Amino acid sequence: MYNLEVFTRPTCSDCQDAKAFLSDNQINYIEQDVSEDLEKEQRLIRLTGARMVPAFVFREKSFLGKIKKPKVLVGYEANKGLIHELLKENS
């Protein structure tokens, strides 16, 4: 099981497509709008090494507080198949 965080900007059409897909499929996620908060953008850069959005951060739910490295994917259209696969595993 994963917790999903999606880094977005309101002017990004790829972000809008990704959010529409997630909403249409009733997939819970936490949206991080990097245009509103410099700290969120800095977190995005630490996670991905870039400012590109959308960025999908799949954090595996862990037991006993073990920290696991998240799966990070940048771009919706280019990673659509893998994103759908990870979300399918999560349902």
Side-chain angles (χ1 to χ4, degrees):
M1 292 290 286
Y2 293 103
N3 288 324
L4 176 60
E5 215 175 350
V6 182
F7 289 81
T8 66
R9 283 192 180 84
T11 56
C12 166
S13 62
D14 210 20
C15 297
Q16 304 315 312
D17 291 346
K19 292 191 308 183
F21 169 79
L22 294 170
S23 294
D24 290 348
N25 289 280
Q26 300 176 343
I27 296 168
N28 293 326
Y29 66 99
I30 299 168
E31 182 179 5
Q32 303 292 353
D33 182 346
V34 297
S35 70
E36 294 181 351
D37 188 336
L38 183 59
E39 286 183 35
K40 290 178 184 179
E41 186 172 66
Q42 292 301 314
R43 257 186 77 229
L44 170 67
I45 293 168
R46 281 193 303 276
L47 286 165
T48 68
R51 298 176 63 222
M52 292 174 51
V53 291
F56 298 82
V57 180
F58 292 87
R59 294 188 188 279
E60 195 169 344
K61 293 179 183 177
S62 63
F63 295 101
L64 305 173
K66 291 184 180 178
I67 298 173
K68 296 184 179 187
K69 186 175 179 177
K71 292 182 184 193
V72 179
L73 302 169
V74 178
Y76 177 63
E77 197 60 39
N79 293 297
K80 192 183 277 189
L82 184 53
I83 291 167
H84 291 204
E85 186 178 308
L86 288 168
L87 292 171
K88 190 175 182 181
E89 289 174 10
N90 202 35
S91 54

